[in-house]
Amino acid sequence: MKLLTPFFILAALALLSLSVQAADPGEPFEDPALEQRYHRIVNELRCLVCQNESIAESNAELAQDLRAQVRTMLADGATDQEIKNYMTERYGDFVLYRPPMRADTLALWFGPAFLLLIGAVVLVVTLVRRARQDAEEEAELEGREQ
Amino acid sequence: MWRYLIPLAILLVLIGFFWRGLSLDPSEVPSPLVGREAPAFALPSLHEPDRLVTNLDLAGEVTLFNVWGTWCPGCHEEHDELMRLAEEEGVRIVGLNLRDDRETAIQWLSQVGNPFEQSGFDGDGRVAIDWGVYGAPETFVLDHRGQIRHKHIGPITHQDIDNTLLPLIRGLEQEARE
């Protein structure tokens, strides 16, 4: 148990890192629903300066400016779609962590499920074939014994 | 037979994907602005704060629009190449001085040379956001109509000029004459 303690600490630290948010200079919205929308949006926009962070997590100047921009647009009553359009018009679809569903992104959306399906089919076919083979061999052995 | 062909086919597909995927530079994000009009802006000029630099100043002839700042190491790196483009090749370069200190920027240019016909002073980075800039230096190539035709991300090297930028610029100049 004692040996495992460091691992528990590591695991706890790993969990903590999931909820990291960069310091946010903007005033939070009074309306909790608006504040929630804000957090959802900034967590789904990629910071292009440090590409594995969302603009919610990044401390890059650009991310700070874009967070401020999202706040301003929300305060002005922009819809989520309008904010996403604003971002993709400037930075391309790459800023969206959730890419749009289009003909050229179908492989992205359904590719993994499709590959899983193929794997499942191959597995079932192999298992059925093997079971049949075993049954045949058994029948043959029984036939010989008699 | 299939038993060997299928894994081989999968391997070939994977090699294809990795070949392509690993040779791409993830820091170069294609800009949706290429092929479009230059985004409108009006900024005070770096050297003469009372005068405006606008997107209209980019039209008329083939122009490079270069995003720079004295804080940006890549901009120092590419400076000699910009000077070469402006002085030896006669290319018009308009600058966007991003999130900089005005005095520092003017002083730097007077020390190392100023390749820019003029520079807009974008102190808070608002215009850079409209141009989809995410890291200086970035350079846009605009045709004589003021349309963005190419975006170069990162410092411009000697090879970039010889292999990509100059051929493109000469081609666009030809287009402008026709």
Side-chain angles (χ1 to χ4, degrees), chain A residues 10 24 32 43 46 61 67 80 123:
Chain A
L10 273 181
D24 202 334
N43 274 296
R46 185 194 305 273
E61 262 178 281
R67 284 201 299 270
D80 292 9
L123 182 70

Side-chain angles (χ1 to χ4, degrees), chain B residues 161-173:
Chain B
I161 292 183
D162 292 346
N163 300 339
T164 320
L165 292 175
L166 262 188
L168 175 69
I169 291 167
R170 296 298 178 232
L172 290 176
E173 283 170 351

